């Protein structure tokens, strides 16, 4: 069905099915009470049914296209999530918002956002995001009343879960919708499923066993169907402006690239873009002109009759929707991922009409009309076009760049591990322009593939193979600190701790100033129980950078393990100034407060945590412990009892039993310790052995006359 429509539209390219400007104006401004922005992570336009992919199973997205306006040629500016979402939500190019990469940047708070515009206009605003790359620490939460970026609890130096599936985003969104659907609202749903690894849930897993990427898109589409059903159920589907857009695509092996970020080819830059509003927008219209992510914000704001901030660099697409304009808009492209993660050259590009130019150590020029696969580089063969494109790109850069410095941050080791778990490999961050020419990413693709395959094998638990790939990479590039870290991490996973330490010590000798190497070496020492060594590396790190989060946090942890609570508290306190929202850190800080005898402050700090994480029973157990330490036995009893009722598990049963044992309530203690022993999965832990000993002792007490 959708294919037929596209063919029909193809005949009318540039003359889309339109609603007259009069009809558009006739709709009252207050018709748009609800705005729902849906971003589809890693979704190539050409993998949706409505974009002509016959094998797609995307009925809901296709249905939206049929009921709204579909942009056939929409482009992202950067093939990376955070920079792309910054362009969507500020209407500015990466040249202006200066968020060049995931992890190393945050959105400058001087740049107005779409959410702020709605907030100021009296709308309820909320966001439900599915990937750590959009965590509130990167600044996109500004303007949202609710910014739901909850992932699983952080576990330092263990594996991270840095994303959630579409169904979980849906589950988070629906209670908010139920409370707010009668009010004016702007909500943003971010679905991350098509991102690597491709693991669609059943039944898509079975149905798409040989096309897992398509399966993820099909699953995401099914959840979008559930969202639409909910809007319909609440009676607001026809009053809601829905915008669906991809943040970037996925290479799927084109130009040898596996995922996205490295290159600027069509596979990763061309994205789906659909606008739907049953009353204000035409049905089944298709616009073929090239448009951009920066144009989304001004279009939404014009439709909602809200002033567009002066900073916005995109244009409203309403003239294209009404057919008054048909010309292509010039598209600026860039990726700093090769430079910042691997030390290779960045790529800057421009699409102007059918021409695409990529500024690289070896520049590229493609005719997208006759060579959509970008196979024939015309840079030398069409010198006058090349010259014109270079000049125009330079003009765009000069006109749109923001002179202020970028807002950068150094990711913590936790951040880096989370990004790594999402497939963003390498490390480094913003690097100053150098006179040394950097390698062309295209010519380093073999190294990239070694790293990538290693990462993939590591993810599948095939550590031996992964090690072979990483070792080969290290052999070819002995001067890249992050490769040592990759091998080191893998060796730790393989329980080859002494090999890992030896390698990282070798790396420390080679790169004595490398913060990356030092912080990982410190973490490894800590994990292998060499606390004094960890502290000495931590001191070396702090000598370099007194405000290094990892050094402060890990030193605090080592000091706590050594029982030096005052010093631990001092380090945690400094770390909290850098990452005030870090939950693990806040928990440890609260614990340290109690350990140095500042019980009331500790209780206050735990209360704050409890408000945000009511389901985390480990907080209750600590609170109970503080009550015991301060002689408030009855309060402690309440807390332990309540925790074991609300969270029946080995931990709460054990804690309650031990408390009861200490108070002499042996009969009850026996009951709960037996409950613990019955369900615990532990083998021969100290806790279990001691619990068995306590049980025997308490039973003896009960039998005494
Ligand atoms: Zn993304």
């Amino acid at each position: 069905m959708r294919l037929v429509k596209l063919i029909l539209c193809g005949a009318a390219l540039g003359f889309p099915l339109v609603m007259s400007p009069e009809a558009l104006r006739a709709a009252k401004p207050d018709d748009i009470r609800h705005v729902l922005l849906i971003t589809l992570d890693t979704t190539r336009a050409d993998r949706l049914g409505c974009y002509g992919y016959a094998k797609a199973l995307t009925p809901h997205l296709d249905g939206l296209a049929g009921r709204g306006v579909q942009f056939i040629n929409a482009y992202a500016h950067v093939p990376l999530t955070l920079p792309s979402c910054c362009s969507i939500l500020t209407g500015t190019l990466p040249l202006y918002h200066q968020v060049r990469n995931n992890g190393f940047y945050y959105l400058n708070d001087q740049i107005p956002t779409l959410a702020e515009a709605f907030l100021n206009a009296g709308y309820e605003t909320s966001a439900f995001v599915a990937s750590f790359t959009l965590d509130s620490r990167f600044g996109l939460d500004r303007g949202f009343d609710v910014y739901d970026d909850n992932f699983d609890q952080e576990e330092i130096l263990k594996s991270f879960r840095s994303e959630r599936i579409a169904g979980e985003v849906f589950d988070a969104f629906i209670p908010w919708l139920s409370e707010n659907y009668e009010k004016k609202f702007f909500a943003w749903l971010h679905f991350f499923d098509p991102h690597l690894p491709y693991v669609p849930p059943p039944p898509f897993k079975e149905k798409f066993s040989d096309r897992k990427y398509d399966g993820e898109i099909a699953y995401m589409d099914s959840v979008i169907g559930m969202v639409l059903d909910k809007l319909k159920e609440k009676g607001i589907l026809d009053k809601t402006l829905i915008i669906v857009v991809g943040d970037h695509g996925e290479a799927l092996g084109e130009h040898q690239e596996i995922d996205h970020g490295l290159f600027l080819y069509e596979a990763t830059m061309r994205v789906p873009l659909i606008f739907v509003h049953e009353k204000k927008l035409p049905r089944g219209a298709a616009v073929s002109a090239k448009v951009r992510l920066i144009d989304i914000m001004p279009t939404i704001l014009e439709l909602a009759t809200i002033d567009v901030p002066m900073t916005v660099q995109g244009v409203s697409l309403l003239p294209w929707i009404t057919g008054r304009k048909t010309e292509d808009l010039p598209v600026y492209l860039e990726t700093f991922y090769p430079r910042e993660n691997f030390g290779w050259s960045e790529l800057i590009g421009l699409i102007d009409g059918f021409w695409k130019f990529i500024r690289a150590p070896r520049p590229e020029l493609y005719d997208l009309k006759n060579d959509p696969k970008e196979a024939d580089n015309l840079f030398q063969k069409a010198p006058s076009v090349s010259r014109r494109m270079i000049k125009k790109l330079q003009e765009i850069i000069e006109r749109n760049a923001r002179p202020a410095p970028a807002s950068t941050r150094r990711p913590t080791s936790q951040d880096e591990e989370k990004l790594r778990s999402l497939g963003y490999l390498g490390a480094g961050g913003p690097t100053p322009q150098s006179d040394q020419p950097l390698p062309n990413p295209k010519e380093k693709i073999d190294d990239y593939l070694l790293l990538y395959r290693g990462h993939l094998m590591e993810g599948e638990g095939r550590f031996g193979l992964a090690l072979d790939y990483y070792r080969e990479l290290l052999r070819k590039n002995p001067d890249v600190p992050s490769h040592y870290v990759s091998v080191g991490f893998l060796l730790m996973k393989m329980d080859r701790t002494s090999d890992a330490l030896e390698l990282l010590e070798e790396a420390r000798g080679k790169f004595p100033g490398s913060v990356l190497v030092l912080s990982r070496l410190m973490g490894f020492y800590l994990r292998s129980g060499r606390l004094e060594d960890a502290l000495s590396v931590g001191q070396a790190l702090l000598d370099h950078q007194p405000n290094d989060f990892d050094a402060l946090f890990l030193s605090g942890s080592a000091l706590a393990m050594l029982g030096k609570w005052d010093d631990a508290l001092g380090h945690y306190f400094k770390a909290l100034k850098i990452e005030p929202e870090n939950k693990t850190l806040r928990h440890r800080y609260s614990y340290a407060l109690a350990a140095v005898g500042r019980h009331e402050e500790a209780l206050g700090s735990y209360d704050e945590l409890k408000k945000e994480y009511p389901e985390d029973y480990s907080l209750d157990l600590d609170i109970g412990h503080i009550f015991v330490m301060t002689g408030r036995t009855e309060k402690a009893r309440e807390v332990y009892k309540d925790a074991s009722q609300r969270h029946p598990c080995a931990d709460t049963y054990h804690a309650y039993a031990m408390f009861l044992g200490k108070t002499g309530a042996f009969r009850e203690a026996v009951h709960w310790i037996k409950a613990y022993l019955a369900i615990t999965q532990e083998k021969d832990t100290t806790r279990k052995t001691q619990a068995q000993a306590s049980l025997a002792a308490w039973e003896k007490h009960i039998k005494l006359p």
Side-chain angles (χ1 to χ4, degrees):
M1 275 306 284
R2 298 295 312 160
L3 270 176
V4 173
K5 187 202 126 182
L6 266 188
I7 292 159
L8 289 177
C9 287
L13 279 188
F15 302 95
L17 180 63
V18 293
M19 193 183 260
S20 71
E22 291 68 33
L24 270 175
R25 269 195 295 273
K28 286 192 211 81
D30 62 1
D31 276 352
I32 294 194
R33 288 181 52 78
H34 313 304
V35 181
L36 178 63
L37 171 67
I38 300 176
T39 49
L40 315 174
D41 212 291
T42 322
T43 303
R44 282 173 69 139
D46 61 5
R47 287 298 172 116
L48 303 184
C50 51
Y51 282 83
Y53 186 48
K55 288 197 279 183
L57 183 63
T58 51
H60 302 100
L61 288 165
D62 301 347
L64 282 172
R67 293 204 303 280
V69 185
Q70 179 181 1
F71 289 87
I72 307 296
N73 292 298
Y75 283 88
H77 304 283
V78 189
L80 293 165
T81 308
L82 181 67
S84 227
C85 290
C86 285
S87 285
I88 295 170
L89 290 174
T90 65
T92 68
L93 293 171
L95 291 163
Y96 190 87
H97 63 62
Q98 296 193 17
V99 175
R100 279 12 230 270
N101 198 346
N102 292 324
F104 303 109
Y105 298 85
Y106 62 93
L107 180 63
N108 185 288
D109 61 12
Q110 301 295 308
I111 304 174
T113 69
L114 182 59
E116 283 178 317
F118 278 112
L119 189 70
N120 294 336
Y123 285 66
E124 303 293 320
T125 55
S126 69
F128 301 84
V129 301
S131 156
F132 171 71
T133 45
L134 297 176
D135 189 276
S136 61
R137 72 190 68 188
F138 306 118
L140 272 176
D141 58 331
R142 190 152 39 86
F144 287 105
D145 295 315
V146 170
Y147 194 83
D148 185 330
D149 56 357
N150 289 332
F151 308 105
D152 272 8
Q153 202 179 322
E154 295 174 4
E155 284 185 76
I156 185 159
L157 297 173
K158 289 196 184 156
S159 56
F160 294 101
R161 190 162 169 269
S162 316
E163 56 177 289
R164 50 184 180 182
I165 64 169
E168 292 172 303
V169 175
F170 176 82
D171 288 344
F173 170 58
I174 294 309
W176 183 89
L177 179 71
S178 298
E179 254 180 51
N180 292 284
Y181 74 95
E182 286 168 316
K183 303 174 194 159
K184 296 205 293 188
F185 72 74
F186 166 64
W188 172 28
L189 299 183
H190 170 74
F191 294 120
F192 196 66
D193 304 79
H195 199 281
L196 271 171
Y198 311 135
V199 278
F204 302 95
K205 187 182 165 199
E206 293 74 27
K207 216 170 195 167
F208 289 87
S209 59
D210 57 338
R211 290 187 289 132
K212 294 201 176 82
Y213 174 73
D214 293 346
E216 291 276 31
I217 291 179
Y219 165 61
M220 177 171 72
D221 180 87
S222 74
V223 175
I224 289 170
M226 286 156 59
V227 172
L228 299 177
D229 284 347
K230 278 283 169 194
L231 296 179
K232 197 169 184 184
E233 186 188 309
K234 306 283 182 204
I236 57 167
L237 185 58
D238 58 344
K239 301 185 187 77
T240 304
L241 170 64
I242 301 171
I243 308 97
V244 178
V245 61
D247 68 338
H248 53 78
E250 186 79 326
L252 301 174
E254 290 187 27
H255 299 270
Q256 285 191 281
E257 188 181 19
I258 299 169
D259 50 351
H260 54 269
L262 204 56
F263 296 144
L264 298 175
Y265 298 115
E266 295 289 283
T268 60
M269 305 312 292
R270 200 178 141 231
V271 293
L273 175 62
I274 298 165
F275 278 71
V276 186
H277 191 283
E278 307 252 337
K279 291 182 181 147
K280 287 206 120 188
L281 291 173
R283 284 175 71 90
V287 175
S288 59
K290 291 186 173 64
V291 302
R292 312 153 300 185
L293 295 193
I294 55 168
D295 304 320
I296 293 172
M297 175 165 165
T299 309
I300 294 176
L301 289 179
E302 189 176 355
L303 279 165
T305 62
I306 295 173
D307 287 345
V308 179
M310 296 289 287
T311 45
V312 166
Q313 297 173 322
V315 297
S316 166
L317 296 173
L318 285 186
W320 279 264
I321 293 174
T322 56
R324 275 183 288 136
K325 284 190 178 178
T326 54
E327 71 263 28
D328 290 321
L329 289 161
V331 188
Y332 169 83
L333 312 169
E334 69 162 48
T335 180
F336 277 72
Y337 181 64
R339 179 191 188 96
E340 300 194 343
N341 290 52
F342 304 107
W344 308 330
S345 175
E346 74 276 17
L347 303 176
I348 310 285
L350 172 67
I351 301 173
D352 192 27
F354 288 113
W355 291 104
K356 180 174 194 174
F357 167 65
I358 298 169
R359 196 175 82 188
R362 189 170 162 268
E364 296 168 41
L365 180 74
Y366 299 103
D367 173 352
L368 295 177
K369 190 176 186 181
N370 297 307
D371 177 25
K373 291 270 164 212
E374 300 160 284
D376 188 12
N377 181 1
L378 301 176
F379 185 77
Q380 304 285 358
K381 295 176 205 158
S384 65
V385 180
S386 297
R387 272 197 303 275
R388 184 171 62 75
M389 296 293 280
I390 291 171
K391 188 161 168 276
K392 185 154 184 182
L393 176 59
Q394 198 50 40
E395 283 166 8
I396 288 175
I397 293 171
E398 280 163 19
R399 205 167 48 240
N400 293 286
R402 193 165 60 101
S407 304
T408 58
R409 62 193 297 286
R410 195 177 89 72
T412 66
S413 52
Q414 293 187 49
D415 292 352
E416 276 179 11
E417 280 318 294
K418 287 176 186 169
L419 293 169
R420 239 172 77 83
S421 78
L422 299 174
Y424 297 107
L425 307 175
T431 43
Q433 292 287 338
S434 74
D435 299 335
Q436 294 292 323
L438 295 172
N440 195 0
K442 217 169 171 169
E443 281 138 38
K444 297 296 276 183
I445 191 74
D446 288 342
D447 283 354
Y448 181 76
L449 291 176
L450 278 174
L451 184 61
Y452 206 90
R453 289 186 181 122
H455 179 74
L456 219 59
M457 291 301 111
E458 189 180 341
E460 290 176 12
R462 299 161 79 179
F463 295 155
L465 273 175
L467 192 60
D468 291 345
Y469 285 123
Y470 288 158
R471 286 235 183 256
E472 172 65 5
L473 185 66
L474 189 58
R475 194 188 57 74
K476 286 175 72 187
N477 304 274
D479 295 325
V480 180
S482 68
H483 296 340
Y484 292 81
V485 171
S486 297
V487 178
F489 257 109
L490 184 60
L491 289 168
M492 287 299 273
K493 275 193 191 170
M494 298 166 86
D495 284 328
R496 290 171 58 181
T497 310
S498 58
D499 291 341
L501 283 171
E502 196 181 311
L503 185 73
L504 269 271
E505 277 157 5
E506 183 196 328
R508 185 190 185 180
K510 279 189 124 173
F511 320 101
S514 166
V515 172
L516 177 72
V517 170
L518 287 175
S519 69
R520 295 309 183 277
L521 179 60
M522 185 184 183
F524 288 2
Y525 277 138
L526 197 63
R527 257 206 280 183
S528 52
R530 289 170 61 176
L531 303 179
E532 297 293 350
D533 289 323
L535 282 173
S536 115
V537 178
Q539 199 48 57
L541 254 174
L542 289 171
D543 290 344
H544 266 295
Q545 298 192 5
N547 284 320
D548 187 87
F549 178 83
D550 287 340
L552 289 167
F553 187 13
L554 298 183
S555 297
S557 305
L559 289 161
M561 285 187 220
L562 287 165
K564 297 180 177 173
W565 288 105
D566 280 307
D567 290 342
L569 192 65
H571 281 80
Y572 286 153
F573 183 74
K574 284 185 195 159
L576 264 180
K577 286 193 170 163
I578 303 163
E579 289 269 330
E581 65 163 37
N582 186 308
K583 190 204 168 199
T584 313
L585 173 61
R586 287 167 63 197
H587 191 166
R588 291 183 187 208
Y589 177 70
S590 313
Y591 194 90
L593 279 173
V596 300
R598 290 159 65 178
H599 297 119
E600 297 315 308
E601 282 171 80
L603 283 173
S605 182
Y606 272 112
D607 275 349
E608 290 296 312
L609 275 168
K610 277 295 297 177
K611 273 182 216 151
E612 279 176 61
Y613 305 96
E615 292 309 310
D616 183 355
Y617 63 80
S618 73
L619 301 172
D620 296 292
L621 303 188
D622 286 358
I623 293 169
H625 187 60
I626 297 174
F627 284 139
V628 171
M629 286 199 288
T630 52
R632 284 170 272 186
T633 314
E634 275 319 301
K635 285 203 124 178
R637 186 191 308 277
E638 270 169 43
V639 171
Y640 284 125
K641 189 178 172 189
D642 182 59
S644 55
Q645 278 170 353
R646 281 194 301 123
H647 309 282
C649 66
D651 292 340
T652 54
Y653 290 174
H654 178 265
Y656 191 29
M658 297 316 283
F659 165 77
L660 290 164
K662 273 186 213 139
T663 63
F666 299 123
R667 228 169 265 284
E668 274 185 281
V670 164
H671 169 81
W672 288 103
I673 207 72
K674 280 184 174 167
Y676 154 72
L677 287 167
I679 59 169
T680 184
Q681 303 284 320
E682 297 160 58
K683 288 267 168 341
D684 293 313
T685 59
T686 322
R687 178 165 90 162
K688 191 173 171 184
T689 330
Q690 284 177 353
Q692 282 158 339
S694 300
L695 173 62
W698 295 336
E699 281 182 325
K700 242 192 200 162
H701 271 289
I702 298 169
K703 281 178 194 139
L704 287 176

